[in-house]
Amino acid sequence: MKSALITGITGQDGAYLAKLLLNKGYHVSGLIARRATPTTWRLQYLGIANEVDLINGDLTDLPSIVRAMNKAKPSEIYNLGAQSFVASSWQQPVLTAQSTGIGVLHVLEATRLADCAIRFYQASSSEMFGLVRDPIQSEATPFYPRSPYGVAKLFGHWMTVNYRESFNMFTCSGILFNHESPLRGIEFVTRKVTDAVARIKLGQQKDLRLGNIDAKRDWGYAGDYVEAMWLMLQQEQADDYVVATGRCTTVRDMCKIAFDYVGLNYEDYVVIDPAYYRPAEVDILLGNPAKAKKVLGWEAKTSLHDLIEMMLEADLARVRAEK
Ligand code: NAP
Ligand code: F7E
């Protein structure tokens, strides 16, 4: 039986990936950081909380990763754990560097010490493109990160490349563009919008305060994107891939789709609040997923309209259940 260790299993992607791997017959372990309140709600939402082995540990604590590796004995490791909220990375740059950057090195080093044959996936990010050098970003586009988060991800990305080149290890980086779902954290803009639209529709909220609604993102569905992660580790050769839809939309138009769905006009509710502006913005991200399609046979299946509808239906149900 194949065995996988997922860091960040309690996050959006970790939960979907765990479900995918369980469906493929894997034994799934996950690194779980100690928190004061429970963090397994996503695993519960997907009905898999009792089907995965949760091992205590923290990405900033190398010995705990080594112990988790010894316990899980994985043939594949997916490093998805990170401080992943870009806006917070200016408020907590050192913590972000330690978990999102140095944490990658801890997992790579623990993998090398345990068994160089373990296949390793790193959750790299389109935020590394930042102030974009090409209008459509591919694996060949130079990086220019714009946040402490992007800088930390770039460190993890190059470490992943370096371990492949230095130790001949099977290490892959997925350069994933934004991907969302009903399990997305509430602070990210898509989920902030769908949660607010549900609350406004059901009479529990009056307005929606947002920052730069002219920013453009290439949004896909997380359920599609975890398949690309798995495919990367099934290839003959380790490599890096852009994973994206190839379309991009403004935050403004994404809001319009969400409000239209419940029969409301976004202009009546959206209030611009400069508190949500970022010290340095990434104005546009648009990925070219041609390599992932050609080599992995992967492409995004879910349209932005379908994604927003899926998220809205889930948030409408959640808000109704709270009543
Ligand atoms: P997420 O929902 O924020 O999940 C992050 C996970 O990392 C959570 O399980 C969190 O645990 C864990 N974590 C944070 N700090 C940790 C630490 N010090 N030690 C151990 N675990 C820690 O993120 P996501 O959206 O699933 O994204 C997964 C990965 O892909 C992240 O690395 C993210 O940066 C990257 N990425 C995401 C996107 C996207 O659009 N979603 C795009 C590109 C790359 P708690 O639950 O305890 O906080
Ligand atoms: O912001 C703008 C904001 O926080 C998207 C992470 O998964 O994807 C994600 O990072 C855009 C930005 O995601 C609000 O300024 C406007 O331009 O949803 P977001 P992100 O920063 O793109 C990348 C690929 C990752 O790797 C990250 O881990 O929306 N925006 N008004 C707002 N954003 C938020 N959060 N809240 C607002 O009120």
Side-chain angles (χ1 to χ4, degrees), residues 9 17 48 81 83 87 96 106 127 187 206 273 282 300 302:
I9 195 166
L17 179 65
I48 57 169
Q83 189 302 95
T96 303
H106 286 161
E127 274 292 304
E187 66 272 43
K206 288 203 163 46
D273 183 343
V282 171
T302 312

Side-chain angles (χ1 to χ4, degrees), residues 7-15 31-35 37-42 57-61 65 79-85 95 98-100 103 121-127 149 153 174-180 183-185 187-188 218-220 222 225 229:
T7 75
I9 195 166
T10 57
Q12 169 188 261
D13 293 7
L31 188 79
I32 183 162
R34 197 262 159 194
R35 304 281 187 248
T37 42
T39 53
T40 52
W41 66 272
R42 293 184 173 95
D58 195 291
L59 286 166
T60 62
D61 182 65
I65 312 283
N79 185 40
L80 310 185
Q83 189 302 95
S84 75
F85 187 41
L95 180 142
Q98 284 168 342
S99 62
T100 308
Y121 172 84
Q122 167 58 16
S124 285
S125 166
S126 54
E127 274 292 304
Y149 169 82
K153 279 285 176 194
I175 307 173
L176 270 55
F177 284 62
N178 301 52
H179 46 281
E180 320 293 313
L183 300 185
R184 186 59 143 152
E187 66 272 43
F188 298 94
D218 179 330
W219 281 295
Y225 284 36
M229 298 176 190

Side-chain angles (χ1 to χ4, degrees), residues 190 194 254 257-258 304-313:
T190 52
T194 59
M254 182 269 294
I257 294 169
L304 182 61
H305 275 83
D306 288 350
L307 173 63
I308 296 298
E309 280 185 28
M310 185 197 314
M311 293 174 69
L312 258 173
E313 287 298 343

Side-chain angles (χ1 to χ4, degrees), residues 255-269:
C255 283
K256 186 172 181 328
I257 294 169
F259 278 94
D260 281 356
Y261 183 70
V262 297
L264 299 175
N265 181 353
Y266 81 98
E267 289 168 313
D268 295 336
Y269 300 96

